[in-house]
Amino acid sequence: MPGTPPTRYAYLGPEGTFTESALISAVGADGGVRTPAAGVPAALAAVRSGDADAALVPLENSVEGSVPATMDGLADGDPLLITREVFLTVSFVLAARPGTTPADVRSVASHPHALAQTAGSLARLLPGVVPLPATSTAEAARQVAAGQYDAAVCPPIAAERYGLTALAEDIADRPGAVTRFVLVAPPGPLPEPTGNDKTSLVAVVGDRTGALLDLLGEFAVRGISLTRIESRPTRERLGVYSFSLDCEGHVADARVGEALSGLHRVCDDLRFLGSYPRADGRENKPVTPVSTDAAFREAAGWLERVRAGRV
């Protein structure tokens, strides 16, 4: 049976972040109570402590790649499960307090991902100004409104929320960048398979020859496509890594379930992060006849007969 839908949401704050926009797109403007958190760790901690039913956090960006705070936050601590993913096209403005001109700007701040995505435009618009990091794009906007910085790279919603004006619009070096967010909740009933799902995992492999090949082989022999794989240090010692990965399919699918069982055998540690509907507009690759659930059931029945001597 499905669990109780969440009504209290934490998200990467403050108000006006891309994360808030993504959460509104996912649950609606009136879809429960939204509480901004000071950072990704704080948003995840709110779920683990019970202060929030679920949290929306950024996982990766099409230009700058993964968000380490989210990857590490899901790999460590009490288990959390991804229940859905949300994709949002992001755009940036260079915002300042009313009356400010580009010539007045001596400091500009934003989240490191936003600064990286707008580095060329900032060098052209604000030559000689060294960008400074902030915990989020909206926090940078709030700090500009408070007089701590002269300008911020932020979404239009943040500029509006904090009473700033845009000195320049659409300043991303690569327009059309997309950020993928994930909604995470405490362990509970999984979303039902839809036929177009993803499964997320964190696998730790030992410092031995062929360890990564063993991991990949569990997917390859069952015809399962990986949609993302990244390595992260375990922070224990050099040579021991965890792999954060997404694969096509749902843990309820026979081939995915068998792959996870195989990974549990060959990996030093394995953390299941959830199976949920795919939301990137793409379709999973067709399942070959030998990898369907029916084929797995037939094979299991054959093995049972052999073990019983009914050959």
Side-chain angles (χ1 to χ4, degrees), residues 152-176:
V153 174
C154 63
I157 186 178
E160 180 180 352
R161 187 73 58 90
Y162 294 100
L164 307 180
T165 59
L167 302 180
E169 299 180 344
D170 296 324
I171 63 171
D173 296 335
R174 291 177 177 267

Side-chain angles (χ1 to χ4, degrees), residues 44-228:
L44 299 179
V47 180
R48 289 181 168 122
S49 68
D51 291 336
D53 302 323
L56 192 78
V57 290
L59 181 63
E60 60 177 328
N61 176 267
S62 61
V63 175
E64 285 303 303
S66 63
V67 179
T70 300
M71 294 178 65
D72 294 342
L74 293 177
D76 300 327
D78 293 337
L80 295 172
L81 291 182
I82 299 172
T83 60
R84 68 181 296 180
E85 61 181 7
V86 181
F87 290 81
L88 183 73
T89 300
V90 297
S91 63
F92 300 99
V93 298
L94 179 64
R97 294 181 296 278
T100 303
T101 69
D104 299 326
V105 176
R106 296 292 180 267
S107 58
V108 59
S110 193
H111 187 275
H113 270 205
L115 294 176
Q117 293 178 65
T118 58
S121 294
L122 290 178
R124 173 175 52 82
L125 294 166
L126 304 173
V129 177
V130 177
L132 300 170
T135 56
S136 73
T137 54
E139 174 62 16
R142 187 195 67 77
Q143 291 172 325
V144 170
Q148 295 175 252
Y149 300 111
D150 296 327
V153 174
C154 63
I157 186 178
E160 180 180 352
R161 187 73 58 90
Y162 294 100
L164 307 180
T165 59
L167 302 180
E169 299 180 344
D170 296 324
I171 63 171
D173 296 335
R174 291 177 177 267
V178 175
T179 296
R180 176 190 177 204
F181 300 85
V182 290
L183 187 68
V184 299
L190 303 179
E192 292 294 325
T194 67
N196 196 46
D197 303 295
K198 284 181 184 176
T199 292
S200 295
L201 308 164
V202 175
V204 178
V205 298
D207 183 12
R208 58 181 176 81
T209 301
L212 179 57
L213 181 61
D214 289 343
L215 183 154
L216 297 176
E218 297 295 336
F219 297 101
V221 299
R222 296 174 178 88
I224 301 171
S225 294
L226 296 180
T227 60
R228 182 181 65 89

